[in-house]
Amino acid sequence: MAIEIFPSSFRCDCGHESDFFEDTVNNMEKMSKKKRVRLGDGEDNQHTIVFYKSEAIEIVCPTLGICAITDSE
């Protein structure tokens, strides 16, 4: 189960953890009020966090595909 780790990290079902600055996540949440926006972690095994309606909703994993964010830690 993909989870959001407060305040600005995310863990995919495959175990990959993406860490961002708090301001970056806050800005993405603001930008996503009316449309989907994506934030990539820029690593070799790039995971992309999808935000919609001011919250992170899923992680796009190169191995598993789309993993819904179902919990927070």
Side-chain angles (χ1 to χ4, degrees):
M1 129 177 78
I3 61 171
E4 180 175 4
I5 304 168
F6 183 81
S8 59
S9 297
F10 302 88
R11 186 178 312 127
C12 181
D13 292 344
C14 73
H16 178 87
E17 193 169 305
S18 301
D19 302 308
F20 302 97
F21 290 109
E22 272 185 76
D23 284 346
T24 302
V25 172
N26 290 337
N27 288 335
M28 295 302 287
E29 289 172 346
K30 288 176 188 174
M31 290 171 39
S32 71
K33 286 184 181 181
K34 295 183 181 180
K35 64 179 181 178
R36 288 178 187 255
V37 293
R38 299 170 181 267
L39 176 62
D41 62 14
E43 295 183 18
D44 290 338
N45 184 20
Q46 180 164 320
H47 284 63
T48 303
I49 315 304
V50 180
F51 295 83
Y52 185 57
K53 295 187 178 178
S54 298
E55 64 181 51
I57 59 167
E58 62 193 22
I59 299 173
V60 180
C61 174
T63 306
L64 302 175
I66 295 174
C67 302
I69 296 175
T70 56
D71 201 2
S72 62
E73 191 174 278

